[in-house]
Amino acid sequence: MLTLLLLIVPLIAGLFLLLNKSKSNFTPVVYIGIAVQLAIFVYAFINFKSNPSLLNFDKAWLPDFAIRFHLGLDGLSILMVGLSVVLVSLILLAVKGLKYENMSHLLGLIFLTQAALIGVFSAKDIFLFYFFFELALVPVYLIANFWGGENSSKITFKMLIYTVFGSLFMLVSFIFLYMRGQSSDIDSLRVTVTLLPNAIKQVLFWGLLLAFAIKMPVFPFHTWLPDAYSQSPTPATMLLSGLLSKMGVYGLIRILLPFAPDGINNYGGIVITLAIIGLIYGSIIAIKQSEIKRLIAYSSFAHMGLMAATVLTLSVSGMQGAIFQMVAHGFNAVGLFYIAKLIFEKTGSRNLAQLGGMTQTAPKLSIMFMIVLLGSIGLPLTNGFIGEFLMLKSVFDFNTILGVIAGLSVIFGAVYMLRFFQKTMFGPLSESATEISDIGSKELAILIPIAIVVIVTGVFPNLILNVSGTFVNTLTNLVR
Amino acid sequence: MTFIALIPLFPLIGFLINGLGYGKISKTAVPWIGTGASLLSFVCVLLAYLNFKETAIIVNLFDWISIAGLNVGFSFQLDQLSIIMLFVITGVGTLIHLYSAGYMSHDEGYGKFFAYLNLFLFSMILLVLGGNYLMMFIGWEGVGLCSYLLIGFWNKNTDYANAARKAFIMNRIGDVGFLIGIFLILQNFGTLEYLEVFEKAKAFHVGDGIIVAITMALFVGAMGKSAQIPLFTWLPDAMAGPTPVSALIHAATMVTSGIYMIVRSNVLYTLSPFTLEFIAWIGLATALLGATIGLFQNDIKKVLAYSTVSQLGYMFLGLGVMAYSSGLFHVITHAFFKALLFLGAGSVIHAMSDDQDIRNMGGLWSKIKITAITFLVGTIAISGIPPFSGFFSKDEILAHVFEHNKIMWALGMLGSFMTAFYMFRLFFVTFKGSFRGTEEQKHHLHESPKSMTTPLIVLAVLSAIGGFIGFPEVFHLPHRLNEFLSPIFENSRLVNSSFGVVHISHNLELILMGASVLVAVISILFAYMVFGNGKNVPVADSEVVGLKKLVYNKYYIDELYNKVFVGPISAISFFFANVIDKKLIDKIVNSVGEGVNFSSKKIKELQVGVTGSYILFMTLGILLLVLYQFGPSLLSTFNLLQNK
């Protein structure tokens, strides 16, 4: 029941804001929406272990077809729902402080995205999953279309078509499974899958993989990403990099692993190799990017590649690492894009060649940037390290050479992030921006919580690892 | 003994206070907080030492990373090795904090500087106090970060910011090796806790491939952090940082992390003679390379930087011949005399109104007496003149090397010769003769304040007598350091019977000692003949020619790295972004999209109502059906006919 509430609250808030005509009095709705969401989530989290039935919701949806509106939270879901709740709240507050037209509608669409994300992360029925998986992109597409530049709508349309194309294969696979198993329940379909003929199992693997591979994205399905991330307005970029990309990794764990373990045993190595290629490829490209959003975009792509690879190693450390990194990368990516936006608002430029010396004028911004950067390059005692360590270990255990190659990303990550930092923050003050001010409490209200998450989850990673532990152990025992 | 957690805690608190209170805390309070945190930490080390009894103490604060099959504790291990390192870090650290109070007092980022210094101490303490390899890695990368922040302390200057970035990245290259070492340890031992790993290591045979791989991977980490060939070029550039930073991080503590790591893992290295031989040669080569470059440098800090590279090489040379405690001995004495020399250089730079070029100095002996005398003590100590500290530790290393390989020993002596020469060249050119700087500089020449000279005096005393913790055997005096450290090498003795066996007779020991003193004295005399009168000054950069130019320009290794690594990676980056991504992959994606568009147009044409095309398609369809039905049989008939 609580899960349904978590889904409904942003839906109501979103619809209200979208239908809202007046310009000024929507602020309370945003705050109340965020507060209620957070309160429900905290309550759900406390009861997660002791009273799991409180989190379950199961009603007939299309009774004639035995498709159910079934939501529930296990160790993986609750982390991802938590990430959606907290991170979207931060995004809402961040966007509210920036300068955009039609703020009420923009925030409404962000709320709707949140509702869809919570749907994806808690659906226990394949069609319900598919429904939310597709739905999540719609509000983001609308944001990019109406708040982005001229190019933006064309580029996001490409992304939309591309991912819908991938999802179609997933839909076909789902329909097939449904017809075979006479059920659309994720848990009960696992049994159905084991009875399939071998050839079909292999086809199923590729059908399901494609949707998630495009969504994350995994090399070579990534070419929509650099344009989409850099041309979209910041709210859309934050949602895409922080949360929507995680739907892909989540899909791998939730759907692909239990439904196509045989396919992974056969072809996992190919996909892992591709993902590692993407990791290095993306990192190397990021080294020479001079447009800061593009730089973060490629870095984001590289990080996603590692997550994809490690999930498919079917090891505890790979999966725990990927789950941890989903949370960590969510915060870090949103933090970085927000900082990029602040830099742009203060200087009017996103080009590294035109920036510099901002520590002198905006020391607070530079400190916050440094903390998020350290998380992003995985310095020990920050959130980035835990995921990276566990993930690299799993790749190394899977294949020594791939592990060493993946390890190189640790160097490249430092190269492009420190270049980014140096060219914006260090050096002489750039001429174009002699009178810029530091960030104030409004911005710090977003960045300090992110900085706290970066450090606290890095020092006490078990806060997260313990939540997903049981889930991961069960799943790995099941698929290995 | 849980209170040993206070050792890193004090600097952390100091960092938080000075960091969060930056700009709000008064300028008089800042150094008290920073230095106080360091001093309290030192006191805790002292208490820990006094309460310590032979066996290692493990304190597990909490479980850090726990997943099924892997549990890494946030744990500390206090034993003989960590105590020695902690004394050096907090002791020399406190002196350098004190010195900074004076040296940095005119800097606007005073509070920030102390915050960073404290953060460095915190990381460095974690590095040596951690109870497992991942804890060491926290410190390992943590000190790298602080080094980055402090080298780039004056980051308005792009060159300085570049130097900081270079240091971090070269260290990271090493760190990947370290990480791989950790993964290998996990794979083969299932744990990262030192005591468990070393216990299990005893089951391996000398020369086992796994151990070779682990030790080599870890050594890559040491090459980065301790500036060994090929990852040494960041250290001279790191002199961009304020001088106390050079003394603390880039001479006394951080750069010796690699030596600590190997001594800590001594049982693993003892199991792998191959790695040891490799380390010895790398160390020797680095010692000679650093020394040759040091011969011609004219920046006072650069001379000391290359000297550090060279001395670190000696330490690794010692480790490579299994003289672990001698390597550590040199870490200690080097911390004293090199910190002293850097701080002395800082005092000179301070007097020279921030000029670092020795060609502009000269005749400073009478102007800044305390600095000059203490600097001379440091110079004698590093040159290896008894009874100063450097003599004992270096001689011990070279004695072990002699036993291992005579050629290595001879080359090591050559390095000794150069060391004494470049150090006394530096001393004579700086302090003898007459002043060559501007009138303004001359007017401004002054001795540094007490907060700066006090650490100089303390370090000078330590440099002079610090070697007495380890007398050579021949004198029949106690080697307290070896006695204290002995339990650390228990496992090494068990796994390899050749460990710790000395064949050198006392007579030979005396001869070797005499030889190394003689070499140093000749070298000093030589330096005196060339530079002693203070009139012979190194020439201007443009007049350096020939082989000397090659060495003066550091063998063009930076340029080589730029050509071989930086350039190609940039090119590849452009190629990936603009060719592979845009012209290849995205083209394919778009053409799939266009293909769909195109075929839908074509399919539309099928239904435009033109009878002719309908008939055409119908005929084609019938033809295909016929071929499908009868094709195979027609083909086989045809084949049959042909065969006939």
Side-chain angles (χ1 to χ4, degrees), chain B residues 428-508:
Chain B
F428 290 139
V429 174
T430 306
F431 292 101
K432 300 299 273 180
S434 54
F435 190 67
R436 296 178 295 270
T438 61
E439 275 305 307
E440 205 184 333
Q441 282 174 326
K442 192 171 185 180
H443 179 70
H444 195 254
L445 281 177
H446 63 285
E447 182 59 283
S448 301
K450 276 230 170 57
S451 66
M452 285 167 70
T453 49
T454 313
L456 288 180
I457 294 165
V458 176
L459 285 169
V461 172
L462 289 171
S463 302
I465 63 168
F468 299 155
I469 57 171
F471 288 107
E473 215 185 293
V474 62
F475 295 144
H476 301 293
L477 287 165
H479 197 306
R480 294 207 187 280
L481 183 69
N482 279 357
E483 287 162 19
F484 183 65
L485 278 175
S486 177
I488 297 291
F489 306 113
E490 191 55 43
N491 287 330
S492 279
R493 274 189 287 271
L494 283 173
V495 298
N496 191 336
S497 53
S498 65
F499 176 82
V501 184
V502 185
H503 299 290
I504 295 183
S505 68
H506 285 176
N507 281 339
L508 186 57

Side-chain angles (χ1 to χ4, degrees), chain B residues 79-86 88 128 252 256-264 266 314-316 318-319 322-336 393 396-397 469 479 481-482 484-486 488-489:
Chain B
D79 60 5
Q80 290 82 356
L81 179 57
S82 43
I83 286 175
I84 298 264
M85 290 303 290
L86 285 170
V88 173
V128 298
T256 61
S257 304
I259 291 104
Y260 163 78
M261 186 272 291
I262 289 174
V263 178
R264 171 59 77 201
N266 65 76
Y314 275 107
M315 297 174 204
F316 281 103
L319 300 180
M322 276 202 273
Y324 302 123
S325 73
S326 313
L328 199 68
F329 191 8
H330 204 53
V331 168
I332 299 166
T333 58
H334 180 256
F336 296 152
S393 51
E396 201 176 299
I397 289 174
I469 57 171
H479 197 306
L481 183 69
N482 279 357
F484 183 65
L485 278 175
S486 177
I488 297 291
F489 306 113

Side-chain angles (χ1 to χ4, degrees), chain A residues 43-54:
Chain A
Y43 186 69
F45 192 78
I46 293 167
N47 286 291
F48 162 65
K49 283 232 163 98
S50 56
N51 194 359
S53 63
L54 208 58

Side-chain angles (χ1 to χ4, degrees), chain A residues 311-334:
Chain A
V311 165
L312 296 182
T313 62
L314 303 182
S315 59
V316 173
S317 64
M319 234 174 294
Q320 282 280 47
I323 294 172
F324 192 97
Q325 183 72 343
M326 279 202 267
V327 178
H329 180 258
F331 282 96
N332 298 347
V334 166

